[in-house]
Amino acid sequence: MPKLIYASTKNRDLFYALKIEVSDPVFFLESGGRKYVFLDAREFGIFSEQNENRAMEAVPLEPLLTEISKADGNMEIANKTALHLLKTYCERSEAVSVPEDFPLSMADFLRAKGISLTVQNPFYPERAVKNSDEISLMKEAAKRTMKIFEKIEEILKEAAIEGEYIKYNGEILTSELLKKETAMEMARQELIDSEGIIISSGQHSAIPHHPGTGLIKAGSPIVCDIFPKSKISGYFSDISRTYVKGVPSKEISAMFNAVLRAQEAGIKKVRAGVPAKEIHNACAASLKESGFETSEKGGFMHSAGHGVGLEVHERPTVGPNSKAILETGNIITIEPGLYYPEFGGVRIEDMFLVTETGAICLTEYTRKLVIN
Amino acid sequence: MPKLIYASTKNRDLFYALKIEVSDPVFFLESGGRKYVFLDAREFGIFSEQNENRAMEAVPLEPLLTEISKADGNMEIANKTALHLLKTYCERSEAVSVPEDFPLSMADFLRAKGISLTVQNPFYPERAVKNSDEISLMKEAAKRTMKIFEKIEEILKEAAIEGEYIKYNGEILTSELLKKETAMEMARQELIDSEGIIISSGQHSAIPHHPGTGLIKAGSPIVCDIFPKSKISGYFSDISRTYVKGVPSKEISAMFNAVLRAQEAGIKKVRAGVPAKEIHNACAASLKESGFETSEKGGFMHSAGHGVGLEVHERPTVGPNSKAILETGNIITIEPGLYYPEFGGVRIEDMFLVTETGAICLTEYTRKLVIN
């Protein structure tokens, strides 16, 4: 079935197909074993210069657009262009598959003209299985992300406790200050803060998705979840550590040790052929065994992991309801966590490559709670 | 007509409605004069804490989801949830408007269940007219973006010419080096490199969208087009300057002066009630008058500007085919440029607030070509 995308490379399936970022929407068509990208004059030259894929043909749109007549409403031109391309490059009456986020008005227009469209989701299921090039790129991104944690630890080490506060460079330590330093280190490492930064402490750390704001107190858990996109490759990495500056409560120390053991239990399950939900279940069982129940009051409140690649969350899913079977070449996170409003939160997250026989950690970086 | 969005705040219409970033898709529904956001447990707490809009009700999804039954395929749950929400919160047989990027399989599912959906594009036309709060936020973002140009000029000033090369801190100056410094300064200014950075020189500068790579030679034009997103407000700013370190060719100097005059000619046209295309036409006419023709060989090859706001390119369009009429509160760029492969490119871009009587520049920052 021919495949059609009309999007910028914010659509990561398109980036997967092109390997080149494009900031404005382009038409991408796979038909009859050929790949075509249709680009306007602004993009055609740059794209052709960068394109190394001989199986993909860049086609300038301009000769076509003058036929179609210009108008202000981009979608009107785009719709007519889509119809023209499908009629030119595909067999009559062939159904065309499109991604989930294909523009609805374009779909309505094409269907009204007799084109049959089917949503295909995932559009490129093979994205979940990384080849050796992708694995190298992701190792590189992971290595750079570990530098961020070195920077955070350096700041926490340099900082001094004054009463219940922490002072760094004469300022009282806050989530905002640590996030700014993190963003600067990301830039230095050619990583992009594409999806936000989580550095949360105190009660906020007990809410898994809380981005973190305000004071970071001595003795309070600091959940750092860093998931930048590599400017060089477009691939994400995703690592979490939980730190305490000062003396952790005995609850946080116990939670930290339990989360470490749970991650270990999850890692042990990893191997091609294993249902992904077994990793989640192993983490959950280990936490329970360590005495940490999950209820309305708190506990282990999210999936044990997820695939990572051109998006920070992609296939396979690694939660209790996952239907995925692990395959060699999957890159997944394992990130158990415990969250109790009265104590705070703890999360440890690393990235693993799934192999025939087990898991290779891509983020070998110390897992220590206390930084003094 | 009720309005339905199912998206994360990568959909900027959703951010416009919520004023809070959400990283995973949520349902947003406007119906019967009320606004609802339906969020799962991970997001509900954070959202409720941040939400200051009393006309918007956050509704937890969980009680509903247990009814709908869990499954791995997110879309299956999401589709059933959408149907349930529409049946619960909207009048029977009412048509529902959805944004252009509404998921196609959700649209197909809802329509098969008898729901009538209409794409509305623009979804929030009022986004093109900024209110006083938005103007303040955009001024703030613009001010921080001007700091980036101070940094670039500082580097160019400090750098030394050695033969045809430029040296900075012992390194030969490249687009990559300047972009890294730019990214670090963005982080310092709490700006996000969300859409890329253009710092191109030499032949690359003659291709308007070229991101720039490689050596920056003395005497060569350096087009710097910086369009970050504010981490604080979510609004973009967009400024371009063209620099030469060393001695510019007489062609580049003449192009620079012509582009400055063209921008001035465009600015003079700005006033509420004026067709936006007149700004483009004024820039084009001025460049022609200065002796710079546009042909296949080069010249003025893009629109004179665009609206800016929660997206770097948004309404109104400011090109030759624009049907927009300027309104008080529009914020637009005016960015004439000249591009000739044999000489290179020049672009100057500033942001303007449209008023009853003219234009207020939001990016008052020196426009000088030569930095030595």
Side-chain angles (χ1 to χ4, degrees):
Chain A
M1 203 187 297
K3 287 181 169 226
L4 175 68
I5 302 180
Y6 177 66
S8 75
T9 45
K10 287 201 177 156
N11 179 314
R12 301 310 278 166
D13 285 316
L14 181 63
F15 182 78
Y16 187 73
L18 300 185
K19 310 266 184 283
I20 294 168
E21 298 277 3
V22 288
S23 55
D24 286 316
V26 297
F27 289 97
F28 170 77
L29 183 64
E30 272 189 55
S31 177
R34 295 280 307 155
K35 291 179 185 182
Y36 306 91
V37 199
F38 303 89
L39 305 119
D40 72 19
R42 291 173 308 177
E43 307 286 353
F44 180 75
I46 311 171
F47 189 89
S48 304
E49 181 192 307
Q50 295 178 289
N51 181 27
E52 291 169 359
N53 181 355
R54 295 178 63 182
M56 185 159 62
E57 187 180 335
V59 184
L61 261 184
E62 261 65 16
L64 185 64
L65 286 183
T66 54
E67 268 174 53
I68 283 170
S69 93
K70 306 227 168 185
D72 183 28
N74 283 325
M75 279 318 289
E76 198 187 312
I77 305 178
N79 289 347
K80 287 181 185 170
T81 306
L83 182 64
H84 183 94
L85 296 178
L86 291 176
K87 283 189 169 166
T88 311
Y89 289 89
C90 301
E91 297 297 321
R92 194 185 287 261
S93 84
E94 224 175 350
V96 175
S97 64
V98 295
E100 180 58 44
D101 61 353
F102 192 77
L104 183 54
S105 66
M106 188 178 282
D108 288 347
F109 176 86
L110 293 173
R111 284 168 170 173
K113 300 288 178 186
I115 307 281
S116 165
L117 299 181
T118 314
V119 175
Q120 193 175 330
N121 191 12
F123 199 71
Y124 287 118
E126 58 269 38
R127 267 179 57 187
V129 175
K130 274 70 181 176
N131 63 30
S132 59
D133 286 349
E134 291 180 290
I135 293 166
S136 302
L137 295 173
M138 290 187 68
K139 277 184 182 166
E140 174 66 23
K143 218 169 110 185
R144 289 166 184 258
T145 305
M146 289 187 258
K147 295 278 181 195
I148 311 285
F149 286 90
E150 282 179 20
K151 179 73 193 177
I152 293 171
E153 291 190 12
E154 190 189 306
I155 291 170
L156 290 176
K157 235 175 231 156
E158 267 184 45
I161 296 173
E162 292 190 11
E164 62 179 334
Y165 301 114
I166 304 169
K167 274 200 152 180
Y168 175 71
N169 264 350
E171 279 183 80
I172 291 182
L173 195 69
T174 59
S175 285
E176 289 79 358
L177 189 156
L178 272 182
K179 284 200 259 190
K180 194 167 170 174
E181 291 287 342
T182 295
M184 280 163 59
E185 189 61 29
M186 279 187 187
R188 203 170 286 123
Q189 298 298 335
E190 304 194 62
L191 300 170
I192 301 176
D193 172 14
S194 162
E195 308 288 317
I197 295 168
I198 294 176
I199 298 184
S200 65
S201 78
Q203 289 219 322
H204 291 161
S205 69
I207 306 172
H209 271 207
H210 201 296
T213 54
L215 285 174
I216 297 178
K217 290 192 178 169
S220 173
I222 313 166
V223 171
C224 304
D225 190 343
I226 311 290
F227 35 98
K229 177 176 151 179
S230 163
K231 193 172 284 197
I232 298 158
S233 66
Y235 283 86
F236 280 83
S237 59
D238 192 358
I239 306 178
S240 301
R241 291 289 180 269
T242 302
Y243 299 116
V244 169
K245 172 85 182 177
V247 182
S249 66
K250 70 176 197 308
E251 288 85 2
I252 288 294
S253 296
M255 284 159 65
F256 185 84
N257 291 328
V259 166
L260 267 185
R261 281 193 297 273
Q263 196 193 32
E264 208 45 58
I267 296 166
K268 276 193 189 136
K269 288 283 172 190
V270 176
R271 187 167 46 76
V274 167
K277 68 178 175 189
E278 284 194 15
I279 296 168
H280 179 92
N281 294 340
C283 291
S286 168
L287 290 169
K288 203 171 167 183
E289 209 171 295
S290 298
F292 291 96
E293 297 283 339
T294 297
S295 71
E296 298 243 312
K297 287 180 193 154
F300 179 35
M301 291 158 60
H302 52 67
S303 291
H306 53 83
V308 195
L310 290 173
E311 289 170 282
V312 62
H313 294 161
E314 63 178 39
R315 287 168 192 261
T317 55
V318 186
N321 302 309
S322 175
K323 288 172 183 156
I325 306 292
L326 293 180
E327 292 178 77
T328 299
N330 286 158
I331 292 182
I332 59 168
T333 67
I334 304 183
E335 49 173 315
L338 285 170
Y339 310 91
Y340 298 101
E342 68 261 55
F343 308 126
V346 168
R347 179 162 66 255
I348 298 168
E349 175 180 30
D350 289 282
M351 288 165 65
F352 300 89
L353 172 66
V354 177
T355 71
E356 286 294 298
T357 54
I360 295 171
C361 182
L362 304 184
T363 53
E364 269 311 346
Y365 186 84
T366 48
R367 299 168 184 81
K368 58 182 168 191
L369 175 65
V370 180
I371 310 281
N372 279 322
Chain B
M1 204 188 295
K3 287 180 168 225
L4 175 68
I5 303 180
Y6 177 67
S8 75
T9 45
K10 287 201 178 156
N11 179 314
R12 301 310 276 166
D13 285 316
L14 180 63
F15 181 79
Y16 188 72
L18 300 185
K19 311 268 185 283
I20 295 168
E21 299 279 2
V22 287
S23 56
D24 285 316
V26 297
F27 288 97
F28 170 76
L29 183 65
E30 272 188 56
S31 177
R34 295 281 307 155
K35 293 179 183 181
Y36 306 91
V37 200
F38 303 90
L39 306 119
D40 71 19
R42 292 173 307 178
E43 307 287 353
F44 181 75
I46 311 171
F47 189 90
S48 304
E49 181 192 309
Q50 295 179 290
N51 181 28
E52 292 170 357
N53 181 355
R54 296 179 60 182
M56 186 158 61
E57 189 181 333
V59 184
L61 261 183
E62 259 65 15
L64 186 63
L65 286 183
T66 52
E67 267 175 56
I68 283 169
S69 93
K70 306 224 167 185
D72 184 29
N74 283 324
M75 278 319 288
E76 198 189 311
I77 306 179
N79 290 347
K80 287 181 186 170
T81 307
L83 182 65
H84 183 93
L85 297 178
L86 291 176
K87 283 189 170 166
T88 311
Y89 289 89
C90 302
E91 297 297 320
R92 195 185 284 263
S93 85
E94 227 176 350
V96 175
S97 63
V98 294
E100 180 59 44
D101 61 354
F102 191 78
L104 183 53
S105 65
M106 188 179 284
D108 288 348
F109 177 85
L110 293 174
R111 283 169 170 172
K113 299 288 180 185
I115 306 280
S116 164
L117 299 180
T118 315
V119 175
Q120 193 176 328
N121 192 12
F123 198 71
Y124 287 119
E126 58 269 37
R127 267 180 57 187
V129 174
K130 273 71 181 172
N131 64 30
S132 59
D133 286 349
E134 292 180 290
I135 293 166
S136 302
L137 296 172
M138 290 189 69
K139 277 184 181 166
E140 175 65 23
K143 219 169 110 187
R144 289 166 183 259
T145 305
M146 289 187 258
K147 295 278 181 194
I148 312 284
F149 286 90
E150 281 178 20
K151 180 74 192 177
I152 294 171
E153 292 191 11
E154 190 189 307
I155 292 170
L156 291 175
K157 234 176 232 157
E158 266 183 45
I161 296 174
E162 290 188 12
E164 61 180 337
Y165 301 114
I166 304 170
K167 275 200 152 179
Y168 175 71
N169 265 350
E171 281 185 79
I172 291 181
L173 194 69
T174 58
S175 285
E176 289 79 358
L177 188 155
L178 272 182
K179 283 199 260 192
K180 195 166 170 176
E181 292 285 345
T182 295
M184 281 163 57
E185 187 62 26
M186 277 187 190
R188 203 169 285 121
Q189 298 299 333
E190 302 193 64
L191 300 170
I192 301 176
D193 172 14
S194 159
E195 307 287 319
I197 295 169
I198 294 177
I199 297 184
S200 65
S201 78
Q203 289 218 322
H204 291 160
S205 69
I207 304 171
H209 271 205
H210 202 297
T213 54
L215 285 175
I216 296 179
K217 291 192 178 169
S220 173
I222 313 166
V223 170
C224 304
D225 191 342
I226 312 290
F227 35 98
K229 176 175 149 180
S230 163
K231 193 172 285 197
I232 299 159
S233 66
Y235 283 85
F236 280 84
S237 60
D238 191 358
I239 306 179
S240 301
R241 290 289 181 270
T242 302
Y243 299 116
V244 169
K245 172 85 182 179
V247 182
S249 67
K250 71 177 196 309
E251 288 85 359
I252 288 293
S253 295
M255 283 159 66
F256 186 84
N257 291 327
V259 167
L260 267 185
R261 280 193 298 274
Q263 196 194 33
E264 207 45 60
I267 296 166
K268 275 192 189 138
K269 287 284 171 188
V270 176
R271 187 166 47 76
V274 167
K277 69 176 177 189
E278 283 194 15
I279 296 169
H280 180 92
N281 294 341
C283 291
S286 168
L287 290 168
K288 200 169 170 186
E289 209 171 293
S290 298
F292 292 96
E293 297 284 339
T294 297
S295 72
E296 298 243 313
K297 287 179 194 153
F300 179 36
M301 289 159 59
H302 53 67
S303 291
H306 54 81
V308 195
L310 290 173
E311 290 171 279
V312 62
H313 293 161
E314 62 177 40
R315 288 168 192 258
T317 55
V318 186
N321 303 309
S322 175
K323 286 171 184 157
I325 305 293
L326 294 180
E327 290 179 78
T328 301
N330 286 159
I331 292 182
I332 59 169
T333 67
I334 304 183
E335 50 172 315
L338 285 170
Y339 310 90
Y340 297 100
E342 68 260 56
F343 308 126
V346 169
R347 176 161 71 256
I348 298 167
E349 174 180 32
D350 290 282
M351 287 165 66
F352 300 90
L353 171 66
V354 178
T355 70
E356 286 292 297
T357 53
I360 295 170
C361 183
L362 303 185
T363 53
E364 270 312 347
Y365 186 85
T366 47
R367 298 167 183 80
K368 58 182 170 192
L369 176 63
V370 181
I371 311 282
N372 279 324

